Amino acid sequence: MEPTNPVVDYLRMDRIPHIWCPGCGLGTVVNCFVRAIHSCGIERDLISVVSGIGCTGRMAGYLRLDSFHTTHGRPIPFATGLKLANPKLKVIVCSGDGDLFSIGGNHFIHAARRNTDMTVICVNNFTYGMTGGQVTPTTPIEAVASTTPYGNSEEPFNLPHLAESAGAVYVARWTTFHVRQAIKAMKEAVQKSGFSFVEIISPCPTLYGRRNKLGDGLEMMRAFKEKSKVKNGADTREVGLDFKGDIICGKFINRERTTFLERYNTRMAARLGAAYKPYEGVL
Amino acid sequence: MSESKKSNGPRGKVTINSELCKGCGFCIEFCPADVLDFSNTFNAKGYHPPRAARPENCTGCDLCGIYCPDFAIFGVLIKAVA
Ligand SMILES: Cc1ncc(C[n+]2csc(CCOP(=O)(O)OP(=O)(O)O)c2C)c(N)n1
Ligand code: SF4
Ligand code: SF4
Ligand code: SF4
Ligand SMILES: [Mg+2]
């Protein structure tokens, strides 16, 4: 019997080939994600993937899992509702840097603050890929975008530090070059109880690479390999990214905090006593 | 590759779906056993897909499959390590 690609079982093959450009890292992220989910051994019907809008946002639509493609910036509120309606679900948000940290930035910090039990995977390509390469909250200073023709002058977010400061219990960063480490981080994040965050640095050769003379997807991958330094447990204050600078990768945070639902049930039980039946979902 | 691995013959098999390939070169660059090269032929989209130039070196590690953004290639283990 001819062998089949293991990823195919998790893809809606009627939608493949996908729309992503040659050398775009998004397909590599899908491969890592599928392998991570598979190795978790969670029943498929208990997994939900939620994306926002953008090139990364298309991920949900290509996966043969329960998935939802929300409006721009809103995958975290949708995922919050999903998780609260059915706390048995493993809810995973996969979306872009623009979607999660520009229009959706508020949702990110509040979900982390509450410690809502979900995983957020951000594909950071430093740009709004889908709409033509505008600046995002992660575009490094100096980098050229369609909206910053003379180079960006805004300080970008340091995503791992933002996630830690807001309350995330698991925080890791890898690039699309670090596929094995990315699989392991996604698996650990999905298995972690509470708000977990994985940043994956990914090439957008078409709109970020070309404008910044960083070469094609392969050249960008080579740069990830050369510029990355693994520092597990690094102080997240020190992992901010500069244009063409080092990329600090690793598992930065792994800690315990009471989740939103646990705290809610404890509080209500303390107030209402035996009359309170712990909330376990509406289904 | 060490001699002992070669004398045991291929341990893995790489499968290429040329029509899905967009020619990014990730698989060729990151295959740890240097199995792959670009082929001279074009697929229908006009890209040069990879070919298994040194199939005897394949370990079936599936790194090509994990890297390929277009799901066009993958490796499987066909023989356990002796
Ligand atoms: C409310 C709203 N505003 C703006 C847009 C236009 N829009 C579509 S995708 C996108 C940015 C996506 O950037 P990112 O999340 O980084 O994803 P990428 O394409 O880079 O993967 C924007 C601004 C929209 N669809 N809806
Ligand atoms: S525009 Fe950029 S992010 Fe979008 S598919 Fe193309 S390379 Fe990927
Ligand atoms: S990684 Fe995939 S798309 Fe890229 S050259 Fe290899 S087979 Fe083609
Ligand atoms: S399975 Fe591993 S050794 Fe074989 S071609 Fe793919 S990357 Fe190379
Ligand atoms: Mg983006």
Side-chain angles (χ1 to χ4, degrees):
Chain A
M1 206 180 79
E2 278 302 301
T4 51
N5 190 334
V7 77
V8 162
D9 194 29
Y10 285 85
L11 296 178
R12 300 183 202 213
M13 286 309 286
D14 52 323
R15 297 189 179 189
I16 303 294
H18 54 59
I19 61 155
W20 296 323
C21 307
C24 174
L26 282 162
T28 307
V29 179
V30 169
N31 286 324
C32 294
F33 178 72
V34 161
R35 282 160 176 87
I37 288 291
H38 187 76
S39 70
C40 284
I42 308 164
E43 204 185 309
R44 284 239 205 154
D45 284 350
L46 294 180
I47 303 168
S48 304
V49 180
V50 186
S51 288
I53 302 292
C55 296
T56 312
R58 315 270 322 189
M59 262 180 79
Y62 291 129
L63 290 166
R64 204 159 65 78
L65 290 166
D66 286 344
S67 59
F68 200 82
H69 193 184
T70 69
T71 49
H72 192 31
R74 311 301 173 219
I76 290 177
F78 184 91
T80 302
L82 202 55
K83 181 68 187 178
L84 293 184
N86 185 359
K88 286 186 214 64
L89 294 179
K90 274 286 174 198
V91 180
I92 304 147
V93 169
C94 296
S95 215
D97 48 315
D99 184 82
L100 288 167
F101 294 99
S102 196
I103 187 169
N106 245 323
H107 303 303
F108 182 89
I109 57 174
H110 292 294
R113 172 179 65 81
R114 294 181 189 114
N115 200 22
T116 315
D117 186 13
M118 63 169 71
T119 297
V120 174
I121 297 170
C122 174
V123 180
N124 183 5
N125 54 17
F126 308 107
T127 195
Y128 284 170
M130 178 156 276
T131 47
Q134 294 83 359
V135 79
T136 74
T138 63
T139 310
I141 292 175
E142 278 180 61
V144 172
S146 68
T147 46
T148 58
Y150 302 106
N152 180 31
S153 48
E154 291 179 23
E155 182 81 29
F157 272 146
N158 164 350
L159 298 183
H161 184 51
L162 177 68
E164 181 192 2
S165 309
V169 291
Y170 181 98
V171 180
R173 172 200 280 151
W174 295 101
T175 78
T176 46
F177 167 72
H178 301 90
V179 288
R180 299 256 187 238
Q181 296 92 328
I183 294 170
K184 183 159 177 268
M186 290 180 192
K187 179 182 181 183
E188 287 177 353
V190 168
Q191 289 176 331
K192 183 85 185 173
S193 169
F195 188 89
S196 52
F197 176 64
V198 179
E199 175 183 14
I200 305 289
I201 310 285
S202 175
C204 167
T206 307
L207 289 156
Y208 183 76
R210 186 173 48 90
R211 219 173 239 126
N212 286 290
K213 302 192 168 47
L214 301 173
D216 62 5
L218 182 57
E219 258 186 82
M220 293 180 80
M221 289 283 273
R222 285 187 190 126
F224 293 167
K225 181 180 174 182
E226 282 154 24
K227 299 272 163 78
S228 57
K229 296 213 160 45
V230 179
K231 281 193 191 160
N232 289 310
D235 183 334
T236 61
R237 286 173 298 187
E238 284 155 24
V239 305
L241 299 170
D242 297 326
F243 185 55
K244 297 188 182 175
D246 288 348
I247 304 170
I248 309 295
C249 295
K251 174 162 67 175
F252 304 133
I253 301 292
N254 192 7
R255 59 182 171 182
E256 306 306 321
R257 275 179 73 214
T258 312
T259 66
F260 169 73
L261 209 51
E262 287 163 356
R263 198 180 291 282
Y264 179 80
N265 279 329
T266 308
R267 173 97 293 272
M268 296 301 274
R271 191 62 197 257
L272 303 176
Y276 181 70
K277 190 174 158 290
Y279 177 78
E280 287 171 355
V282 293
L283 302 176
Chain B
M1 288 303 289
S2 72
E3 281 306 311
S4 63
K5 275 181 191 162
K6 271 192 180 162
S7 60
N8 284 341
R11 287 192 280 128
K13 180 178 187 301
V14 59
T15 303
I16 301 165
N17 182 345
S18 302
E19 289 310 315
L20 282 178
C21 172
K22 292 185 192 155
C24 69
F26 291 5
C27 58
I28 299 169
E29 175 97 2
F30 300 122
C31 165
D34 193 28
V35 171
L36 307 163
D37 270 342
F38 278 117
S39 59
N40 296 323
T41 53
F42 293 99
N43 66 13
K45 290 192 214 118
Y47 298 109
H48 289 293
R51 67 185 181 100
R54 290 161 292 279
E56 68 282 4
N57 288 351
C58 180
T59 63
C61 68
D62 194 35
L63 265 179
C64 51
I66 304 176
Y67 276 112
C68 177
D70 289 276
F71 320 119
I73 188 169
F74 63 99
V76 289
L77 199 66
I78 51 172
K79 193 158 78 182
V81 193

